[in-house]
Amino acid sequence: MAEDYVPCDSNNHALNMKEGANESLVVCFGEMLIDFVPTVGGVSLAEAPTFKKAPGGAPANVAVCISKLGGSSAFIGKLGDDDFGYMLSDILKQNNVDNSGVRFDSTARTALAFITLRADGEREFLFFRHPSADMLLQESELDINLLEQARIFHYGSISLISEPCRSSHIAAMRIAKKSGSILSYDPNLRLALWPSAEAAREGIMSIWEQADVIKISEEEITFLTGCDDHTDDKVVLDKLFHPNLKLLIVTEGSEGCRYYTKEFKGRVPGVKVKPVDTTGAGDAFVGGMLSNLAFNLNLFEDEKLLREALLFANACGAVTVTERGAIPALPTKEAVLKLLGKVSPGWKAQT
């Protein structure tokens, strides 16, 4: 129960974020797009009377979340040379995300996604990418200086679907790793974007063993392993935990998350709220977790600090689901601490 949480002292608290932003820079790579979300829930796309335009794209969401929580982040990706593309680039800048790694393509449009919100708050997707600009990022367009500065390099799997972005993604990983970055991977499975389920599984797993940190959902465990019991620790450890991995996290929605390292494993409960829209909740979780990790790489070795960081990350996701859209709903550190103070009287913010 979250009420049982006991914070550590201010000298080594997971939320203590040091000054000197670039020393803890998180560089996020991949897609940024426009989400069109119905203004009412529980309807199909055809039934929706109107849509709310919201910036999104998992890697961009993570970058904005880290910045809103007080960390340092940058985004590398490609947008269309169009009004939506420049709007998205400006949104990054407005949210204090370094957008110097953004490129623009005059031959393709910025990606769009229409997202239906079912009555239970879960989502269904319809993408417009034929191709979209994010798929066309060339290796020669990578901001190498930015990659070399990254303390953490974070990415998903959508950028692995097609060339030339796939090769650019792999090159960026190589540059970041060579410079000493921690590689963070959230597959963020969007099956409709892949040619087939087999291609998705193969593509996602093709870079699996290079990651230092991986975040997956319960559904992704089932998809990647072919095993029905996603709660079985043996399935996770035998099929998904690899020798180079420092931390594997399994998110369980409102129920919280499980964590696995070489030394320990456990579970951190979720923070209960009334959900409005689950869009961006997983990205907020990742942002919350990486914002802590960027300032304290000892989280891998210290289970108490790791549990604190994951409770904070759970609360980041919880705040996000109380509003519609992804980036507009991402939390500030103050909002997260306020929620934690309500559900866990023992929580005391250390700033």
Side-chain angles (χ1 to χ4, degrees):
M1 298 292 292
E3 287 83 0
D4 297 327
Y5 173 74
V6 178
C8 65
D9 62 63
S10 60
N11 291 326
N12 61 358
H13 194 282
L15 297 179
N16 266 350
M17 296 184 176
K18 66 184 180 182
E19 297 298 325
N22 282 341
E23 294 178 13
S24 55
L25 179 66
V26 180
V27 175
C28 300
F29 176 95
E31 71 279 3
M32 188 176 192
L33 59 144
I34 304 287
D35 289 333
F36 286 92
V37 184
T39 53
V40 295
V43 298
S44 69
L45 288 175
E47 294 167 334
T50 55
F51 292 87
K52 177 182 177 181
K53 178 182 65 179
N61 292 344
V62 172
V64 171
C65 186
I66 289 168
S67 178
K68 289 184 74 172
L69 292 171
S72 174
S73 65
F75 176 76
I76 292 178
K78 202 168 198 184
L79 301 168
D81 185 11
D82 51 41
D83 285 349
F84 280 155
Y86 289 103
M87 182 194 83
L88 291 176
S89 181
D90 285 345
I91 285 171
L92 291 173
K93 187 174 182 180
Q94 290 163 17
N95 284 280
N96 298 313
V97 175
D98 185 338
N99 65 354
S100 61
V102 172
R103 303 293 179 258
F104 296 91
D105 196 294
S106 60
T107 67
R109 298 297 189 192
T110 300
L112 308 179
F114 287 81
I115 305 175
T116 62
L117 306 177
R118 301 199 308 253
D120 60 3
E122 286 302 319
R123 301 159 294 158
E124 295 174 356
F125 297 87
L126 177 62
F127 293 96
F128 285 74
R129 307 169 80 236
H130 305 290
S132 52
D134 60 284
M135 302 164 68
L136 302 178
L137 181 69
Q138 302 276 349
E139 184 176 341
S140 60
E141 296 176 304
L142 292 173
D143 189 324
I144 295 175
N145 181 56
L146 202 55
L147 289 166
E148 290 177 341
Q149 290 180 51
R151 193 171 198 187
I152 298 173
F153 180 60
H154 175 73
Y155 47 87
S157 69
I158 290 174
S159 45
L160 297 170
I161 294 174
S162 60
E163 294 291 356
C165 191
R166 175 181 168 81
S167 291
S168 302
H169 179 148
I170 293 171
M173 287 173 57
R174 183 175 63 247
I175 293 166
K177 189 69 172 179
K178 186 178 179 181
S179 301
S181 301
I182 285 176
L183 300 189
S184 166
Y185 187 20
D186 175 5
N188 194 38
L189 176 66
R190 295 289 179 260
L191 200 52
L193 295 177
W194 292 86
S196 66
E198 183 181 350
R201 196 175 292 109
E202 183 178 322
I204 288 170
M205 297 305 294
S206 68
I207 60 169
W208 195 262
E209 296 197 358
Q210 297 180 54
D212 300 296
V213 178
I214 297 175
K215 190 281 282 185
I216 52 174
S217 68
E218 295 173 297
E219 294 79 10
E220 287 163 349
I221 293 174
T222 302
F223 177 77
L224 294 173
T225 66
C227 298
D228 292 331
D229 190 0
H230 51 67
T231 64
D232 188 342
D233 286 348
K234 183 171 172 47
V235 169
V236 174
L237 291 169
D238 289 352
K239 294 182 176 290
L240 297 176
F241 200 94
H242 62 77
N244 299 321
L245 197 56
K246 295 179 172 65
L247 176 64
L248 176 65
I249 300 169
V250 178
T251 51
E252 301 176 327
S254 62
E255 297 304 310
C257 65
R258 309 198 306 269
Y259 58 89
Y260 304 84
T261 73
K262 290 185 175 70
E263 304 300 327
F264 46 76
K265 60 185 173 67
R267 185 175 174 277
V268 178
V271 179
K272 303 297 183 183
V273 294
K274 184 177 181 180
V276 173
D277 175 13
T278 59
T279 305
D283 303 328
F285 175 93
V286 173
M289 188 266 295
L290 293 183
S291 67
N292 281 280
L293 180 60
F295 284 93
N296 187 353
L297 300 182
N298 293 326
L299 290 181
F300 296 134
E301 287 81 36
D302 190 320
E303 188 170 11
K304 184 180 180 183
L305 289 183
L306 177 61
R307 289 181 64 84
E308 289 186 355
L310 294 178
L311 178 62
F312 181 81
N314 284 343
C316 288
V319 171
T320 302
V321 305
T322 61
E323 294 185 35
R324 296 191 189 278
I327 285 178
L330 293 172
T332 61
K333 185 165 70 170
E334 289 71 27
V336 177
L337 296 177
K338 182 178 179 181
L339 176 60
L340 284 170
K342 287 180 180 178
V343 300
S344 180
W347 178 277
K348 183 180 179 182
Q350 304 286 349
T351 57

